[in-house]
Amino acid sequence: MKAIAITQAAQNGTNLESLSEITLPTPVATGHDLLVEVKAISVNPVDTKVRAGFNAEQPRVLGWDAVGVVVATGETVSLFKPGDEVWYAGSLTRPGSNSEFQLVDERIAALKPKSIDNASAAAMPLTAITAWEMLFDRLGVAENGNENDVLLIVGAAGGVGSILTQLARKLTNITVIGTASRPQSQKWVTDLGAHHVIDHSKPLTEELARIGIKNVTHVASLNQTEQHYAQLIEVLAPQGKLALIDDPETLDARPLKVKSISLHWEFMFTRSMFETSDMIEQNRLLTRVASLIDQGVLQTTLGEHFGIINADNLRRAHELIETNRAVGKIVLEGF
């Protein structure tokens, strides 16, 4: 089968040109695995991070979002059958979705939404899982609840922010404030349902004061946490909650003590990496998100379609994501 893999460690600061097309044997499904013929993928910041940190002898196939068709199943599979159209975000410990065929554990896959095409669906699994777990599992926001609370989403125009904004607005009663710094991204966040949009390139206290809000009860910091950390502590109300997904080099938790602010990490690969006893929750989560899309409650977060799945287009996608200026998700489709 055809695959696109990272083949060399970084030299002179980058290994982007080492994203290359290779040929691999088609894998065989056993146990809980589905063999999926990949139809569409999207590219996430994790793709660029794994590529940049690659330093191994064997090529590594990247990619953690996919939509495809089940062509074979392992002997213990009970949730799917050949011919089913599925979507998933895969596992960080296994070969990725930038290949014609991929193995994925049935417990982290679900039937794709019926009402949208493959490209639109491929934009969403990883970010939907991340956003859902962050909002409901980590920050403890309740469906149809939190009417007196305020959620600040830093980086609301990106992939996770785009679905988190929708989930918070459509499924809870929390006030949603998204940050975005450019007119294009500000309009995107507004259209997704944020009650307010503020500019994270300006002091957050001033931007919140501009819209008449002094403190927020919950923060979802999706990028540049180090840059905003002190300001986030300042704007959080006593006993507030701070959740993040990015990778600050250092994070001193001591300043959180005075306000009794709780700190939460979200990493959507935890369940699949450790094969936790509740691993199937990602199947249920994606099933629920698919239903919400088909009901018209949620919309795709596809930002740009970069064409077919090949090395050139993947390099372009990685380059754009590394600028931190992508709006929505970048999708590729077909081989």
Side-chain angles (χ1 to χ4, degrees), residues 26 152 192 202:
T26 301
L152 175 64
L192 290 174
K202 300 177 181 178

Side-chain angles (χ1 to χ4, degrees), residues 2-310:
K2 182 188 298 183
I4 296 90
I6 183 65
T7 57
Q8 290 187 27
Q11 298 173 344
N12 301 319
T14 183
N15 59 356
L16 187 62
E17 292 305 313
S18 297
L19 268 179
S20 309
E21 293 188 15
I22 63 173
T23 300
L24 294 172
T26 301
V28 176
T30 60
H32 280 288
D33 280 345
L34 313 173
L35 178 62
V36 176
E37 183 179 2
V38 175
K39 299 296 185 181
I41 63 169
S42 68
V43 184
N44 293 280
V46 66
D47 297 55
T48 67
K49 293 172 184 175
V50 174
R51 188 211 79 233
F54 175 79
N55 188 18
E57 294 182 2
Q58 297 297 320
R60 180 168 186 181
V61 179
L62 307 178
W64 288 278
D65 262 331
V67 169
V69 177
V70 177
V71 295
T73 62
E75 63 276 7
T76 58
V77 167
S78 62
L79 301 176
F80 303 95
K81 63 185 184 305
D84 284 343
E85 294 182 303
V86 294
W87 66 341
Y88 54 88
S91 169
L92 197 61
T93 62
R94 306 185 72 177
S97 58
N98 297 348
S99 57
E100 290 183 281
F101 296 91
Q102 184 187 13
L103 293 177
V104 62
D105 191 298
E106 63 171 338
R107 293 168 290 184
I108 59 171
L111 295 174
K112 73 171 280 287
K114 297 181 176 66
S115 59
I116 57 176
D117 61 21
N118 289 338
S120 298
M124 299 189 68
L126 186 149
T127 52
I129 295 169
T130 300
W132 188 286
E133 291 182 350
M134 185 177 228
L135 183 64
F136 297 118
D137 299 341
R138 313 298 173 225
L139 287 172
V141 176
E143 286 195 55
N144 303 311
N146 297 80
E147 55 273 0
N148 296 318
D149 293 334
V150 181
L151 169 66
L152 175 64
I153 304 173
V154 180
V160 175
S162 294
I163 185 67
L164 181 57
T165 300
Q166 295 183 70
L167 291 173
R169 182 61 194 269
K170 297 294 182 65
L171 300 186
T172 82
N173 294 315
I174 205 166
T175 297
V176 182
I177 304 172
T179 81
S181 60
R182 293 172 291 137
Q184 176 194 9
S185 53
Q186 290 169 351
K187 180 180 185 304
W188 174 269
V189 176
T190 299
D191 291 345
L192 290 174
H195 293 93
H196 307 281
V197 181
I198 64 175
D199 186 346
H200 53 241
S201 69
K202 300 177 181 178
L204 295 179
T205 50
E206 295 178 11
E207 283 291 279
L208 288 171
R210 178 176 60 80
I211 60 173
I213 291 179
K214 181 180 180 181
N215 293 119
V216 302
T217 56
H218 299 71
V219 168
S221 183
L222 306 179
N223 54 45
Q224 299 180 325
T225 297
E226 273 182 308
Q227 178 181 329
H228 300 295
Y229 188 54
Q231 292 186 74
L232 296 177
I233 295 170
E234 184 177 357
V235 303
L236 267 164
Q239 303 181 85
K241 297 184 177 184
L242 169 62
L244 62 151
I245 62 171
D246 61 341
D247 301 289
E249 286 198 19
T250 61
L251 193 72
D252 182 1
R254 287 175 298 178
L256 304 176
K257 179 179 179 179
V258 176
K259 287 186 174 180
S260 295
I261 294 169
S262 56
L263 180 65
H264 307 263
W265 286 94
E266 163 55 25
F267 188 54
M268 60 78 53
F269 292 115
T270 296
R271 282 171 163 147
S272 57
M273 283 181 72
F274 295 96
E275 295 193 6
T276 58
S277 60
D278 66 347
M279 188 170 163
I280 199 169
E281 286 302 318
Q282 292 194 343
N283 161 269
R284 295 170 181 155
L285 189 166
L286 286 174
T287 299
R288 177 79 189 284
V289 172
S291 176
L292 290 168
I293 291 170
D294 288 338
Q295 293 167 22
V297 176
L298 301 177
Q299 67 186 63
T300 180
T301 54
L302 191 160
E304 294 189 67
H305 194 308
F306 268 30
I308 65 171
I309 304 167
N310 64 24

